[in-house]
């Protein structure tokens, strides 16, 4: 139709099988028309955001004799305002409803059907029948003083408003003291205050009782209650700060510069310094909305599968969606809600910086610098997964898993699945139809068992609504405790923002500088460095063992052991008053003179690599490393002959993991193992997957990726037109040698691409610029 109306087209098509103007046949998916009066016309989702920083400050300088004093202060009032919205109208996801699962498409009815095709067939049937897997809608609060969840139509502003504020203040005192003509001492002290952030609308929430309250049902003495959410922060009903303000951020600094007189006057200079700096609230400021602004209890997400509503297809839809009560606790039947909180004594990280340098004049306009620079960072921000399950904490479950892998029947799995109808298997009776056999048959769980992913199976049992239509129903069927697997079963993940990280960095720098002389200047430096600790890549999602955080301290992801860099310019010695063609004049002289060539060359060693084995053999996290059985070779880029790209670990062979051969043939489990092992050219095993219940013994970031080299150059020609006008022609060549800069290889030993480098950069490009300077 003209104009085209998507809503009319959609309604007409799915209810009658014809388009709105009757010109095209559709497919009548529904037998009965739907009442769409409760669905809303809305535009595309959007998010507007703006920030502001209002500051005031001043500095006073006073010189008295040998002292140069500076005193200053500065204050900031910073905020970030955003208007957000997501799923505030009912959103339907098609598929098989939990109350009417697709049955009958299995290897019994269709012998030989592949698992992938089985899943596809079930999905197609669910879609074509108009099946609704879920309907989701978010409800928001208009303000902290209006305890009513509202939908899109009811909201006054039609949006969720957030305005995160943080105030900061700093003051400093500095003294540059000319102790002697050849010695200068620098002394200083700085104080920083970074106020605890808050939401202008008061719509922030946190678990009541803080970290202690997050133990929930388990409690600090194994006799707890459900975790509940409460308002927190300025302008909320609970004006307590999210964490206590940190007032002791005092940063001393000291430095000295000494012109050593024993090797020629002002030829050699010694410099040394030490200082402390506190890191501001940048990360906490920006992360606060995601951590506390969307916490369940201050918003309501209604999902039909969570409430076991009897919706099978479009014809059954009845709106409005149910909405809960403000600050109501997350139920034990939810188990799919993530929650974040902050350490009660959350503080600002600080960095100690120290350096020593000797600078020596080698010749006229040429200096040599030898410098040591380092730092130690303490109380860095990190994220701790408090709900991480680990196999050693559940020996009975671990034993049941191993029995099932070997083809036996575990009593625990009989207890968990007794009387339940397992999809593709039937009702478990514990005798002729056992729980272990059911798990070796069911599409989802059989791959966990085949690959030793005990953490994935534990997470499945803890959160799934499979076979019972209620999350955690399998535990209740077995009469096991709600917290059998995790400390707080109300939530899927519990992330504690804390200050447990630290790092150290040490470097040696050698630098030669040639100041401009006879048209030539150059600076060449070499850096040998090492950084270890926990960095931003070490967060809640990839802690291997939350109870042994020391094992996460390793090379930092930005560590580059060697770095060489040289840059300079050379004015070509051609033209009037230069070495070549010095007597030229007129047009020829204008064409020959003032050519300048510049270049920047750099070589850097590769980034640290962590070889991984991404099966959850030890915990609910898939962050895992392989077991190393023999010395693993260093990598080198070698063009691949059989596939596109390059290989980094040449001469290695990937084969099936030897652990696969120990699996039972029952329910064809032994054919499902996809774990791989790495062998050398002689067939010796180098890397294998950890056994069930085991953490890999290979550390993180034990290898180094491909190094990088690049040379950029430019050529500049300037022609003087008049006293105040000049024409300039510039040619820039990036990566003029067209040298490939290889990306890191695939490091998962279970990936078909292990050791392959599938991407590179480093194309040579030329850019020509002209300009008129006047």
């Amino acid at each position: 139709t003209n104009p085209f109306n998507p809503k009319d087209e959609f309604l007409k098509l799915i209810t009658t099988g014809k388009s709105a103007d009757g010109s095209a046949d559709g497919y009548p998916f529904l037998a009965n028309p739907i009442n769409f009066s409760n669905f809303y016309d809305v535009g595309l989702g959007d998010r507007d955001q703006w920030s502001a920083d209002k500051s005031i400050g001043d500095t006073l300088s006073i010189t008295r004799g040998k002292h140069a004093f500076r005193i200053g202060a500065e204050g900031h009032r910073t905020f970030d305002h955003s208007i957000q919205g997501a799923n505030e109208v009912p959103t339907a996801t098609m598929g098989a409803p939990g109350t009417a699962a697709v049955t009958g498409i299995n290897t019994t009815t269709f012998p030989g059907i592949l698992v992938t095709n089985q899943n596809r067939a079930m999905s197609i049937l669910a879609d074509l029948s108009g099946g609704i897997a879920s309907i989701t809608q978010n409800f928001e609060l208009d303000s902290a003083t209006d305890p009513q969840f509202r939908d899109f139509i009811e909201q006054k502003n039609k949006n969720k408003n957030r305005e995160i504020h943080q105030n900061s203040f700093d003051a400093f005192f500095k003294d540059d003291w000319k102790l002697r003509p050849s010695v200068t001492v620098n002394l200083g002290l700085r104080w920083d205050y970074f106020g605890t952030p808050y939401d202008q609308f008061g719509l922030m929430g946190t678990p009541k009782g803080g970290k202690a309250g997050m133990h929930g049902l388990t409690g600090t003495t194994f006799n707890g209650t459900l975790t509940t959410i409460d308002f927190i922060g300025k302008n909320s009903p609970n004006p307590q700060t999210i964490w206590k303000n940190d007032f002791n951020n005092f940063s001393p600094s000291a430095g000295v510069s000494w012109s050593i007189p024993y090797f020629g006057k002002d030829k050699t200079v010694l410099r040394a310094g030490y200082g402390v700096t506190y890191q501001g609230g940048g990360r906490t400021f920006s992360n606060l909305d995601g951590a506390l602004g969307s916490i369940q209890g201050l918003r309501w997400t209604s999902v039909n599968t969570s409430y076991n509503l009897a919706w099978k297809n479009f014809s059954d839809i009845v709106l409005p969606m149910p909405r809960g009560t403000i600050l109501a606790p997350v139920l034990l039947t939810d188990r799919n809600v993530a929650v974040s909180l902050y350490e009660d004594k959350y503080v600002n990280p600080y960095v100690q910086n120290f350096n020593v340098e000797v600078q020596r004049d080698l010749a006229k306009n040429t200096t040599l610098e030898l410098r040591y620079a380092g730092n130690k960072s303490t109380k860095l921000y990190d994220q701790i997964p408090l709900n991480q399950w680990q196999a050693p904490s559940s020996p009975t479950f671990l034993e049941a898993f191993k029995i099932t892998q070997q083809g036996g029947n575990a009593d625990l799995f009989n207890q968990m699945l007794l009387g339940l109808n397992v999809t593709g298997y039937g009702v478990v009776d514990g005798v002729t139809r056992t729980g272990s056999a059911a798990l070796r048959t069911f599409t989802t769980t059989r791959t966990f068992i085949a690959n030793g992913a005990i953490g994935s199976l534990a997470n499945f049992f803890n959160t799934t609504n499979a076979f019972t239509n209620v999350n955690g129903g399998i535990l209740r069927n077995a009469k096991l405790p709600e917290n059998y697997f995790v400390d707080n079963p109300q939530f899927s993940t519990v992330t504690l923002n804390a200050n447990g990280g630290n790092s150290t960095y040490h470097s040696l720098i050698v630098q030669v500088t040639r100041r401009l002389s006879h048209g030539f200047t150059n600076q060449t430096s070499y850096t040998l460095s090492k950084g270890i600790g926990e960095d931003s890549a070490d967060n809640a999602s990839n802690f291997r063992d939350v109870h042994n955080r020391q094992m996460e301290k390793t090379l930092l992801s930005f560590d580059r052991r060697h770095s060489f860099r040289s840059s300079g310019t050379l004015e070509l010695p051609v033209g009037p008053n230069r070495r070549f063609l010095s007597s030229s004049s007129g047009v020829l002289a204008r064409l020959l003179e003032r050519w300048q060539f510049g270049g920047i060359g750099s070589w850097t060693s590769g980034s640290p690599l962590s070889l991984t084995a991404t099966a959850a053999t030890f915990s609910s996290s898939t962050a895992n490393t392989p077991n190393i059985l023999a010395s693993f070779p260093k990598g080198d880029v070698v063009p691949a002959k059989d596939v596109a790209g390059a290989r980094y670990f040449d001469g290695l062979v990937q084969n099936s993991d030897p652990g696969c051969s120990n699996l039972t043939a029952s329910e064809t489990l032994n054919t499902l193992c996809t774990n791989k092992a790495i062998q050398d050219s002689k067939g010796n095993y180098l890397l294998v997957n950890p056994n069930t219940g085991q953490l890999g013994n290979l550390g993180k970031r034990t290898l180094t990726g491909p190094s990088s080299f690049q040379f950029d150059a430019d050529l500049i020609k300037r022609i003087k037109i008049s006293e105040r006008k000049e024409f300039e022609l510039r040619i820039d060549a990036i990566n003029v040698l067209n040298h490939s800069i290889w990306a890191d290889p695939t490091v998962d030993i279970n990936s078909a691409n292990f050791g392959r480098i599938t991407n590179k950069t480093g194309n040579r490009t030329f850019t020509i610029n002209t300009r008129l300077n006047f």
Side-chain angles (χ1 to χ4, degrees):
T1 57
N2 190 13
F4 180 75
N5 187 318
K7 178 179 177 181
D8 290 345
E9 290 288 332
F10 175 68
L11 296 181
K12 195 74 173 177
L13 180 66
I14 66 173
T15 56
T16 68
K18 294 183 178 296
S19 58
D21 62 359
S23 62
D25 288 336
Y27 188 92
F29 289 103
L30 306 172
N32 300 310
I34 305 173
N35 181 0
F36 278 85
S37 60
N38 289 318
F39 283 81
Y40 310 128
D41 284 324
V42 296
L44 294 176
D46 198 10
R47 171 189 171 107
D48 294 324
Q49 181 172 354
W50 61 92
S51 304
D53 185 342
K54 300 178 180 179
S55 61
I56 184 172
D58 204 354
T59 301
L60 174 65
S61 299
I62 303 174
T63 302
R64 287 289 183 271
K66 297 181 179 181
H67 297 271
F69 300 108
R70 296 183 68 202
I71 304 172
E74 189 174 30
H76 292 264
R77 186 174 183 271
T78 307
F79 73 86
D80 181 274
H81 188 112
S82 62
I83 298 176
Q84 309 167 17
N87 287 341
E88 293 181 0
V89 295
T91 303
T93 301
M94 299 187 71
T99 54
V102 175
T103 59
I105 300 180
N106 50 49
T107 54
T108 302
T109 309
F110 299 94
I113 188 173
L114 299 176
V115 174
T116 53
N117 290 335
Q118 179 183 347
N119 293 334
R120 288 169 181 160
M122 290 191 292
S123 296
I124 291 172
L125 181 58
D127 290 345
L128 293 181
S129 65
I132 297 295
S134 66
I135 293 185
T136 304
Q137 185 176 10
N138 288 337
F139 298 89
E140 303 288 354
L141 297 176
D142 265 338
S143 71
T145 59
D146 180 12
Q148 174 66 43
F149 289 116
R150 302 186 183 279
D151 65 19
F152 179 81
I153 296 298
E154 298 164 339
Q155 291 173 29
K156 296 178 182 178
N157 298 318
K158 309 302 181 189
N159 291 291
K160 179 180 75 172
N161 283 273
R162 286 287 182 267
E163 188 170 293
I164 313 299
H165 284 250
Q166 184 172 38
N167 301 325
S168 62
F169 179 82
D170 64 76
F172 72 91
F173 168 81
K174 184 179 180 182
D175 178 15
D176 293 333
W177 179 17
K178 196 74 170 178
L179 184 62
R180 299 178 59 183
S182 61
V183 179
T184 301
V185 177
N186 311 106
L187 300 173
L189 181 65
R190 178 186 176 95
W191 177 72
D192 287 286
Y193 164 74
F194 303 101
T196 303
Y198 65 91
D199 176 35
Q200 178 68 25
F201 298 94
L203 294 176
M204 291 290 177
T206 194
K208 187 176 293 186
K211 185 171 65 173
M214 271 314 307
H215 291 283
L217 198 65
T218 300
T220 54
T221 59
F222 299 96
N223 186 24
T225 57
L226 292 181
T227 295
T228 56
I229 305 301
D230 194 9
F231 285 106
I232 194 167
K234 185 178 178 181
N235 302 326
S236 80
N238 176 25
Q240 175 186 347
T241 56
I242 299 171
W243 59 82
K244 293 181 180 180
N245 282 312
D246 189 5
F247 293 105
N248 64 344
N249 300 334
F250 291 95
S251 309
S253 63
V256 62
S257 176
W258 178 30
S259 179
I260 303 175
Y262 306 111
F263 308 103
K265 182 176 175 56
D266 297 331
K267 293 287 187 180
T268 305
V269 178
L270 171 67
R271 299 183 181 92
Y274 169 82
V276 177
T277 57
Y278 279 86
Q279 307 302 301
R283 177 173 171 181
T284 58
F285 179 80
S286 60
N287 288 356
L288 198 65
D289 182 24
L292 304 184
S294 301
I295 197 167
Q296 194 77 350
L298 298 187
R299 74 180 311 182
W300 187 264
T301 301
S302 189
V303 185
N304 75 311
T305 54
S306 296
Y307 301 96
N308 203 26
L309 300 179
W311 296 352
K312 297 181 181 179
N313 56 46
F314 267 72
S315 337
D316 299 323
I317 294 175
V318 178
L319 296 177
M321 294 282 283
R323 66 189 79 183
T325 304
I326 185 173
L327 300 180
V330 174
L331 301 177
L332 290 168
T333 52
D334 280 339
R335 295 175 177 259
N336 58 4
V337 176
V339 66
S340 296
L341 70 156
Y342 287 87
E343 181 68 75
D344 300 336
K345 296 182 179 180
Y346 201 58
V347 296
N348 298 111
Y350 64 92
V351 180
Q352 302 176 73
N353 299 281
F354 27 84
N355 65 84
V356 178
E357 174 188 335
V358 176
Q359 178 179 310
R360 173 68 179 177
D361 284 349
L362 298 180
K364 184 178 180 180
N365 299 317
T366 303
T367 59
L368 169 67
E369 296 170 68
L370 298 177
R371 184 185 315 127
Y372 162 78
N375 64 56
K376 184 180 187 309
S377 302
T378 307
K379 297 184 179 180
L380 297 176
Y381 298 129
D382 63 358
Q383 296 179 326
I384 310 303
L386 298 184
N387 244 14
Q388 187 185 84
W389 175 88
Q390 294 183 348
S393 65
S394 302
T396 304
F397 186 76
L398 175 59
E399 181 64 21
F401 190 95
K402 291 181 177 180
I403 290 172
T404 303
Q405 282 185 309
Q406 299 300 315
N409 296 307
D411 293 337
L412 177 62
F413 292 159
N414 280 336
Q415 178 185 352
M416 297 176 82
L417 298 174
L418 188 65
L420 300 182
N421 186 3
V422 177
T423 306
Y425 181 74
V427 178
V428 174
D429 58 19
V431 181
T432 59
R433 291 183 175 272
T434 66
S436 291
L439 295 177
R440 291 190 295 260
T441 302
F442 182 53
T443 302
T444 301
T445 57
R446 64 199 311 241
T447 56
F448 297 156
I449 297 171
N451 291 320
I454 186 173
S456 300
L457 184 65
N459 185 65
F460 172 80
F461 280 139
N462 183 55
T463 61
T464 188
N465 66 353
F467 324 136
T468 65
N469 293 325
V470 58
N471 295 338
I474 292 177
L475 289 176
R476 298 178 199 103
N477 183 70
K479 296 180 173 56
L480 292 171
E482 296 281 352
N483 57 351
Y484 182 79
F485 288 108
V486 296
D487 192 51
N488 195 327
Q490 295 169 251
F491 304 96
S492 55
T493 59
V494 179
T495 302
L496 175 66
N497 294 278
N499 289 106
N502 63 85
S503 68
T504 56
Y505 173 81
H506 301 280
S507 65
L508 174 66
I509 302 118
V510 180
Q511 180 173 297
V512 177
T513 301
R514 170 75 174 183
R515 294 181 294 277
L516 184 62
S517 177
H518 301 291
F520 174 70
T521 180
N522 175 264
Q523 185 177 86
T524 299
S525 64
Y526 166 74
T527 302
L528 173 66
S529 64
K530 184 177 183 180
I532 61 173
E534 300 174 28
D535 64 11
S536 58
D538 301 314
N539 53 38
S541 64
N542 60 12
F543 264 99
R544 291 175 291 167
D545 183 355
V546 70
H547 302 302
N548 184 13
R549 293 177 53 194
Q550 183 63 27
M551 69 172 3
E552 304 301 326
K553 189 170 184 177
T554 182
L555 289 177
L556 295 167
S557 59
F558 61 79
D559 178 83
R560 301 294 185 273
R561 187 61 48 87
H562 305 281
S563 178
F564 178 85
R565 184 180 179 89
S566 182
S567 62
T569 61
L570 172 64
E571 187 171 333
L572 301 183
V574 179
N577 302 317
R578 306 308 298 270
R579 177 174 299 181
F580 302 104
L581 301 175
S582 59
S583 60
S584 59
S585 61
V587 175
L588 178 61
R590 301 291 82 77
L591 294 176
L592 293 176
E593 67 180 357
R594 305 185 68 188
W595 285 90
Q596 179 180 294
F597 173 78
I600 302 175
S602 63
W603 175 87
T604 306
S605 56
S607 60
L609 296 180
S610 294
L611 299 181
T612 62
T614 52
T617 61
F618 176 78
S619 71
S620 51
S621 170
T622 57
N624 206 346
T625 57
N627 280 338
I628 183 168
L629 305 181
S631 178
F632 195 81
K634 294 182 179 180
D636 192 16
V637 178
V638 177
K641 299 178 181 179
D642 54 337
V643 292
R647 296 195 184 280
Y648 194 59
F649 307 117
D650 192 39
L652 301 185
V653 179
Q654 184 186 55
N655 278 322
S656 179
D657 192 280
C660 295
S661 61
N662 298 323
L663 295 173
T664 180
S666 299
E667 289 76 39
T668 65
L669 187 71
N670 58 336
T671 65
L672 299 174
C673 182
T674 59
N675 287 341
K676 302 296 182 182
I678 306 302
Q679 298 171 286
D680 62 19
S681 57
K682 297 180 181 179
N684 300 311
Y685 284 104
L686 305 180
L687 301 172
V688 297
N689 281 269
N691 295 323
T692 301
Q694 183 184 54
L695 193 64
N697 62 16
L698 182 64
K700 293 172 63 176
R701 305 191 183 114
T702 55
L703 295 176
T704 302
S707 61
S708 63
F709 170 77
Q710 183 167 318
F711 180 69
D712 304 330
D714 65 66
L715 185 63
I716 302 175
K717 166 61 178 171
R718 298 182 177 94
I719 300 177
K720 195 173 187 64
I721 299 175
S722 65
E723 186 67 26
R724 303 180 61 182
K725 294 180 181 179
E726 179 182 75
F727 174 79
E728 179 179 297
L729 171 67
R730 180 185 182 116
I731 302 175
D732 291 291
I734 306 300
N735 192 21
V736 66
L737 302 179
N738 205 29
H739 190 274
S740 295
I741 301 175
W742 295 97
D744 287 336
T746 302
V747 291
D748 182 4
I749 68 169
N750 295 318
S751 170
N753 288 327
F754 174 75
R756 282 189 58 201
I757 301 176
T758 57
N759 188 34
K760 68 180 180 69
T761 58
N763 294 333
R764 178 169 49 202
T765 61
F766 291 92
T767 303
I768 301 176
N769 291 295
T770 59
R771 60 183 293 156
L772 180 65
N773 300 319
F774 58 92

